[in-house]
Amino acid sequence: MLTRNGPLKGVRVIEMAGIGPAPFAAMHLADMGAEVVRITRPGQAFPLPIDEKHNLFNRSRRSLVLDLRQANDAEKLWGLIERAEILIEGFRPGKMEKLGFAPEAVLARNPALVYGRMTGWGQTGPLAQAAGHDLNYAAITGAVHGLGEADRPPPAPMNLIADQGGGAMMLNVGILAALTHARATGEGQVVDAAMCDGVNLLMTMQHGLAAGGAWSGERAGDFINGGVAWYRCYETADGKFISIGCVEPQFFTEFLRLTGLSDDPRFADQYAPEAQPAMREALTELFLTRTQAEWCEVLEGSDACFAPVVPLAEAATHQHNRARESFVTVDGIEMPAPAPRFSQTPPDIPTTGDAGFVEMNEILEHWRAAI
């Protein structure tokens, strides 16, 4: 077994290998010390053309190859289920049932198990059986509609909103909540985590603002989606970009002081809608007068709510990320360190995505000793 330190040390997890938010959720649990065993089918590999070690969602755990169409391999999985505390699957609804591992059957064998199900549309509803990806699941929540510039279609926001935010993180909160209940009562349950549900929850503040008449929901129409001059990104003289987000009046005042705009009448009324175009034009011109590095010298570290827009390849070298050791290098691969941080149970350094395989006997021997 690949045993690890962290606050979840000793928690026994079965992960049905797949792609997207379910492996990210399993990775996150493994980062925090859980003993995660990936169940892969023969020949299963990451669909993109990279080496397995670069598939970092698979870090910090080992795999067991099982062909669940074979009775002997299916029985091996049942042997693990009887000893596990958590099972994670991210298939289309009905797939686990077809494999013979429906929640009802699994909970009958292990009543204290937490059965985590990760889908885009959920286990029920008219779209439950439809294929999709992060962008689609977020699209029905209002989150995508409010992204981007007003005169352009909404951009694709990578896979952070639905896959990781509304999906994996919501699944793990649900799993750990259910695990707390199971350990206290011996009663397991199914956690149905749908990405669209999770993104809807992430939009709670926006729904409240809209109900109060303070959110239009339109692209570049509100104070934190580009609708104001003082919460957006600007280009600098060297073709790079910076961000400002001085929402509160005291931070806006400090921003004006540091940029020499305190007495500029265009900035007299921070929140006035009619003042935003002139402010935006002035800031566009201002930030083009210096390089990104020069603006960092003026604004970074102040209460002006400023940060440079850093490319992915440079994130690990930013002074703040370096100071906090937010990245680690393993086998030549620079990767994000586990998060969050724990004062008493710090996690181990992660592995790469090809931590290797484990034999059934090794798992059973270890998990028998743990029970």
Side-chain angles (χ1 to χ4, degrees), residues 260-278:
L261 295 170
S262 297
D263 297 325
D264 191 318
R266 292 173 292 184
F267 294 84
D269 192 343
Q270 177 183 358
Y271 299 102
E274 64 275 9
Q276 302 307 317

Side-chain angles (χ1 to χ4, degrees), residues 4-365:
R4 302 182 56 77
N5 292 311
L8 296 181
K9 184 176 182 178
V11 175
R12 302 178 299 280
V13 182
I14 298 169
E15 171 200 358
M16 306 303 294
I19 62 173
F24 181 88
M27 178 208 80
H28 196 212
L29 296 179
D31 277 353
M32 293 188 286
E35 296 176 359
V36 183
V37 178
R38 295 179 66 247
I39 306 301
T40 66
R41 64 181 182 272
Q44 184 170 354
F46 191 59
L48 296 181
I50 60 172
D51 293 337
E52 283 295 323
K53 75 174 187 176
H54 295 113
N55 181 15
L56 296 182
F57 277 11
N58 287 349
R59 72 188 191 184
S60 302
R61 55 209 194 275
R62 293 166 70 187
S63 300
L64 174 66
V65 179
L66 295 178
D67 184 351
L68 297 179
R69 297 169 298 181
Q70 304 299 319
N72 186 52
D73 279 5
E75 193 56 37
K76 288 180 181 179
L77 180 55
W78 281 118
L80 296 180
I81 285 171
E82 291 172 350
R83 295 164 175 81
E85 293 182 276
I86 297 167
L87 183 147
I88 294 174
E89 64 95 357
F91 302 137
R92 200 178 301 203
K95 176 66 178 293
M96 287 293 283
E97 285 81 353
K98 290 179 180 178
L99 290 172
F101 295 92
E104 297 80 8
V106 168
L107 289 171
R109 293 280 286 264
N110 183 350
L113 185 82
V114 174
Y115 194 119
R117 314 199 81 173
M118 181 78 262
T119 60
W121 306 114
Q123 297 295 317
T124 60
L127 296 177
Q129 290 297 328
H133 279 291
D134 176 281
L135 178 60
N136 311 122
Y137 308 135
I140 69 168
T141 69
V144 174
H145 182 79
L147 298 176
E149 297 296 332
D151 59 347
R152 301 175 191 173
M158 293 194 284
N159 64 337
L160 301 178
I161 295 179
D163 272 12
Q164 273 65 277
M169 301 312 294
M170 295 294 178
L171 175 64
N172 275 357
V173 169
I175 283 175
L176 295 178
L179 180 65
T180 300
H181 175 79
R183 287 188 163 186
T185 67
E187 180 183 48
Q189 61 186 300
V190 176
V191 178
D192 174 6
M195 288 179 244
C196 56
D197 293 347
V199 178
N200 279 327
L201 183 61
L202 293 177
M203 293 290 288
T204 298
M205 183 186 79
Q206 283 78 5
H207 281 280
L209 292 172
W215 188 266
S216 72
E218 298 304 316
R219 288 186 291 287
D222 298 293
F223 75 103
I224 52 173
N225 72 343
V228 293
W230 34 265
Y231 197 97
R232 59 188 297 125
C233 298
Y234 291 92
E235 188 175 0
T236 57
D238 52 349
K240 298 181 180 181
F241 298 89
I242 56 88
S243 68
I244 59 170
C246 41
V247 177
E248 295 84 353
Q250 68 272 25
F251 300 147
F252 185 66
T253 298
E254 179 68 355
F255 170 75
L256 296 181
R257 184 186 71 82
L258 291 172
T259 53
L261 295 170
S262 297
D263 297 325
D264 191 318
R266 292 173 292 184
F267 294 84
D269 192 343
Q270 177 183 358
Y271 299 102
E274 64 275 9
Q276 302 307 317
M279 279 195 275
R280 188 180 302 122
E281 182 179 359
L283 293 179
T284 298
E285 294 175 357
L286 176 68
F287 284 118
L288 283 171
T289 62
R290 302 186 189 186
T291 66
Q292 183 190 71
E294 289 170 334
W295 282 117
C296 286
E297 291 180 6
V298 175
L299 295 169
E300 194 167 27
S302 74
D303 277 357
C305 301
F306 165 93
V309 177
V310 177
L312 178 70
E314 300 175 17
T317 64
H318 187 274
Q319 60 177 343
H320 188 77
N321 291 330
R322 283 205 316 269
R324 287 188 56 79
E325 298 180 339
S326 298
F327 289 81
V328 296
T329 300
V330 182
D331 193 18
I333 301 175
E334 197 169 61
M335 66 180 79
R341 304 181 183 200
F342 299 89
S343 62
Q344 300 301 317
T345 54
D348 289 336
I349 298 297
T351 72
T352 59
D354 58 349
F357 295 89
V358 64
E359 295 297 329
M360 183 70 180
N361 290 340
E362 183 182 352
I363 304 170
L364 290 179
E365 181 179 349

